[in-house]
Amino acid sequence: DATVSTETAVSLLKRCPLLSELNLVCRDDVIELLKAVAHTCTRIKTLRVQSCPPLNYEDLQLLSQNCPSIECLDLKTTGCLNKNADAHWMEGCTPCTCPASGSFTNLFVNFRNLTSLDLFHCRNLNNKGLEQIADLCP
């Protein structure tokens, strides 16, 4: 965030509707940036969001609805909160009470062109979520 301000980054993204690849690393303002991507860069194919605060369910939902052409999605060490904002920071640290319909993993069905998904050290991902992702694969 120290290199480029949020306002500058959002302004730049709003001028790039043909953007096909974006890397966001260690950005505390990732939510604002991804909203700009979802509203403007709808043709994006590769999106890497690494080492950022977890995404909100609604923000990943907006991205999945507006940017269905994503082929490569990398949420390494970022992750996403479930619909009820329940966080499972580590497998087994709290019992999972999230219904499948409220899990962020069900949003991956909207990315119909997805061929690469990186969830390494993805916060808020548990065994149920991995099973749901596997069930969505053709």
Side-chain angles (χ1 to χ4, degrees):
D1 297 1
T3 307
V4 176
S5 71
T6 302
E7 296 77 21
T8 301
V10 167
S11 176
L12 178 64
L13 288 168
K14 286 182 177 180
R15 291 188 236 160
C16 298
L18 300 178
L19 187 70
S20 63
E21 184 171 339
L22 179 64
N23 298 321
L24 299 172
V25 180
C26 297
R27 295 289 305 207
D28 291 333
D29 57 356
V30 68
I31 300 299
E32 293 91 339
L33 300 179
L34 287 180
K35 283 180 182 177
V37 169
H39 289 294
T40 306
C41 310
T42 57
R43 296 181 186 182
I44 194 157
K45 299 217 183 278
T46 300
L47 180 61
R48 292 182 186 90
V49 182
Q50 300 175 345
S51 303
C52 295
L55 308 181
N56 296 318
Y57 181 92
E58 293 77 16
D59 298 317
L60 185 61
Q61 184 176 39
L62 181 66
L63 195 65
S64 74
Q65 291 169 341
N66 292 359
C67 303
S69 298
I70 289 179
E71 297 172 359
C72 175
L73 181 61
D74 182 344
L75 298 177
K76 190 181 305 173
T77 67
T78 294
C80 185
L81 298 177
N82 290 320
K83 198 172 195 175
N84 64 1
D86 189 15
H88 306 285
W89 298 106
M90 295 172 60
E91 178 66 29
C93 75
T94 59
C96 181
T97 57
C98 305
S101 62
S103 174
F104 78 90
T105 55
N106 70 26
L107 298 173
F108 293 127
V109 73
N110 295 335
F111 297 116
R112 301 208 185 274
N113 297 319
L114 194 64
T115 57
S116 176
L117 177 64
D118 190 340
L119 299 173
F120 175 75
H121 203 260
C122 187
R123 295 174 225 161
N124 205 29
L125 179 64
N126 58 26
N127 288 339
K128 281 185 182 179
L130 287 174
E131 289 172 10
Q132 190 171 27
I133 292 169
D135 289 342
L136 295 173
C137 294

